[in-house]
Amino acid sequence: MEPTPPRNSRFALLSDEDMAKLSENSKNKNTVRSTNNWVSVFREWAKERGKNDNIEEYVVCLQEMDRTLGLFFGEIRRQNGKEYEPDSLRVMQGAIQRYLVDKKCNINILSDVEFEESRRILEGKARLLRMNGMGKRPNASQPLTIEEEEMLWDAGKLGKSSPISLVHTMWFLNIQYFGLRGVQEHTTMTIENFSKKVDSSGRVYIEFIEDPTKCRGGGLLAKTRVTDTKMFATGGERCPVSFFD
């Protein structure tokens, strides 16, 4: 029977469930989702090829594991039969390694000499895909031209003509000045993330202090942006600080 802490104790009494929740909270949800997705792809491939779909069980013979991974890397395709982008293959390799770590497998398919051949196969495939024109991010969003931005101002889509246009303008300015994501950081931020200040030259500016994101998570070693993010007043009708005010 566990002892009961005295009343008003400075120490919390945590159950096994509480401890499990703390441990689970340390994991990035997007990373967990990616890991589960790629492991599912491996299992689907293994079943179709008549192989053991529990990748962690291959550790009993690392030579066989290397051959299996090499074959998987070479044969993997999207559901529509098309090739994955080279960067996706790198993410896949890392996801499988994370899964093996979670399963307490004391191996590293990214660096151990036993997996040199499967790494060569994956590297060769990635190079071939790039030679064939892949990896150029064809779906990447394109920046607005100066002319296109002017059209938005002239049409009243940006500006102070209505509450909606003001919201759109702040969304636009936050992305430009602070590098915020279009959805995630705008959804989670609050007014407390911003601070209005004056520098030594008397210039007014808005400073953004970010919360943890999926790329810069919190924790003991929280990552922050490399540079300070500030939005200085420019004067005139399009002064960003006036829109913030």
Side-chain angles (χ1 to χ4, degrees), residues 153 156 158-163 165-166 169 236-239 242-244:
W153 287 104
L158 296 178
K160 307 175 185 177
S161 60
S162 71
S165 65
L166 181 58
T169 303
E237 295 181 354
R238 298 184 186 178
C239 174
S242 70
F243 283 107
F244 179 86

Side-chain angles (χ1 to χ4, degrees), residues 86-108:
D87 289 344
S88 295
L89 297 178
R90 177 174 54 83
V91 172
M92 169 202 63
Q93 187 185 32
I96 292 176
Q97 175 59 33
R98 287 194 301 271
Y99 176 79
L100 293 170
V101 171
D102 288 342
K103 292 297 182 180
K104 305 296 188 282
C105 298
N106 190 27
I107 58 174
N108 192 326

